[in-house]
Amino acid sequence: MNPSASGWINKFGSLVEGHKELYSDFDALYLSLKQTGFVYGINIEIPSFIDAEHQLSDDEKAKINLLNALYGTFVLEETKTDKDFDTFLKYVFDFYTDLKANHISFFNKILTGSKTSAQLEKLMDSRVSLEDNLISKTFNRIITNSLLFIDVLLFKRYLNHPEDIRQHAQLIEYLAINITYHALSSKEMNKSDERLAQLFASSLTFIKSDVQNFDGSYREKLLNNNSVLENRYFLDVGCLTVWEDKSLEYQESEFIFGLGKDLGFEPDEIAKALDEIKVFFSKNSKTIPFLKDTNLALQFYESMSKMVNKLILRNSKRLQKELAESKELVFLLSKSTVRDLSEEEKKKVQNQLIDIFKSIPSLAIFILPGGAVLLPIFIKLIPKLLPSSFDENRVEK
């Protein structure tokens, strides 16, 4: 599955078909999303039932984790309808439409298909990546929305109470950004703290951080919030904010245990949330993007080299795969000189001959200067003119 190519949502649907009972309840789903880093806004892993052919980028992991979280929520929460994937896609698209979160660029609107899955792919692109246009994505590090789990909380509510969903989205973001601000105020700020604060502020969708009141009045709304799952998320946001420097001072500890008490948690539950973030950071601190202290020139170089390396590696593997599959064609053609081929074998010959004819322009594009960068554009605009090995999101019928 390739989350950067069209058709990835339908491909996910075919893969998840046999895993509808993957999560027994919301506790199991939430724990899984914490382990992948999705709850913390730091996507380290993806669900185990998805076998990625290539190394995935941060935003690609975020897309998979967001869709998996939304689908897991739908399966656990929805009791009124059949839990088939097409129904789920309609619910999610209606949810984002009512949320008024579908700010898609004009260029993407032109390329968006008429199917719900194709429209949702573009919508999720705009939700996951904070850099919204092709130029800024090319020349800057792609920043992934760190507050995507709020979408999951809102979708869970929407399935039962669709009214006033955007107003509730504003409340959750208001509480999350206030918790972050006051958690940072309880400690001595360093560079990674500043980057974390900027990341959270940049991820806001429904409110503006520059007009927020950080005077402590948020606590009254926090005390009146009766959603246990939302409160667990707020506690984890607080734990993430105080622990990202891998230390816990007295003031920070006092803030977290005070926050946990306000949210209705016992001291042992608060300590467990702190332990979980400690384990997560001890395993993944070297790969967490906002902890890397690099200058702008180095960021530019890393971003460009990663993008080009990814394109060259993925496209060379595709061509190698296409050529390897052609060996079977030679065998079948040789076999046809001795006896008649079965219907299945004839179909294989037909498909592989078509793929060979498609491979000729693909090879020509690939050997051109900058061909590794041009191929993804052809995949995007004319996917049916490329061999089957380039269509990683193909669902076998």
Side-chain angles (χ1 to χ4, degrees), residues 275-286:
D275 287 339
E276 286 172 343
I277 193 65
K278 290 177 186 177
V279 170
F280 181 81
F281 266 79
S282 65
K283 285 176 59 180
N284 306 301
S285 59
K286 291 182 179 179

Side-chain angles (χ1 to χ4, degrees), residues 4-54:
S4 294
S6 61
W8 74 270
I9 285 183
N10 284 335
K11 181 67 172 181
F12 175 91
S14 70
L15 294 174
V16 81
E17 187 64 32
H19 300 274
K20 288 184 178 179
E21 309 302 325
L22 190 61
Y23 308 108
S24 57
D25 51 32
F26 279 107
D27 286 340
L29 174 61
Y30 189 77
L31 179 60
S32 172
L33 295 173
K34 281 177 86 168
Q35 291 170 344
T36 64
F38 181 71
V39 169
Y40 300 126
I42 308 164
N43 293 274
I44 303 297
E45 299 174 2
I46 59 173
S48 57
F49 66 86
I50 296 176
D51 184 19
E53 188 172 345
H54 307 286

Side-chain angles (χ1 to χ4, degrees), residues 142-184:
I142 296 176
I143 304 173
T144 303
N145 188 339
S146 63
L147 297 176
L148 283 173
F149 187 73
I150 290 179
D151 288 20
V152 182
L153 296 173
L154 293 171
F155 185 57
K156 184 177 186 297
R157 178 187 175 90
Y158 181 82
L159 291 171
N160 296 294
H161 304 288
E163 63 280 356
D164 301 323
I165 192 65
R166 186 174 175 87
Q167 183 179 346
H168 194 68
Q170 292 170 339
L171 173 63
I172 294 182
E173 278 198 351
Y174 167 80
L175 292 174
I177 199 67
N178 268 275
I179 288 169
T180 302
Y181 174 82
H182 288 280
L184 290 172

Side-chain angles (χ1 to χ4, degrees), residues 303-320:
S303 180
M304 290 300 292
S305 63
K306 280 183 180 178
M307 181 184 70
V308 173
N309 285 338
K310 182 174 78 171
L311 291 171
I312 292 174
L313 181 63
R314 289 189 180 182
N315 291 319
S316 60
K317 280 185 175 179
R318 288 163 177 157
L319 290 172
Q320 289 171 8

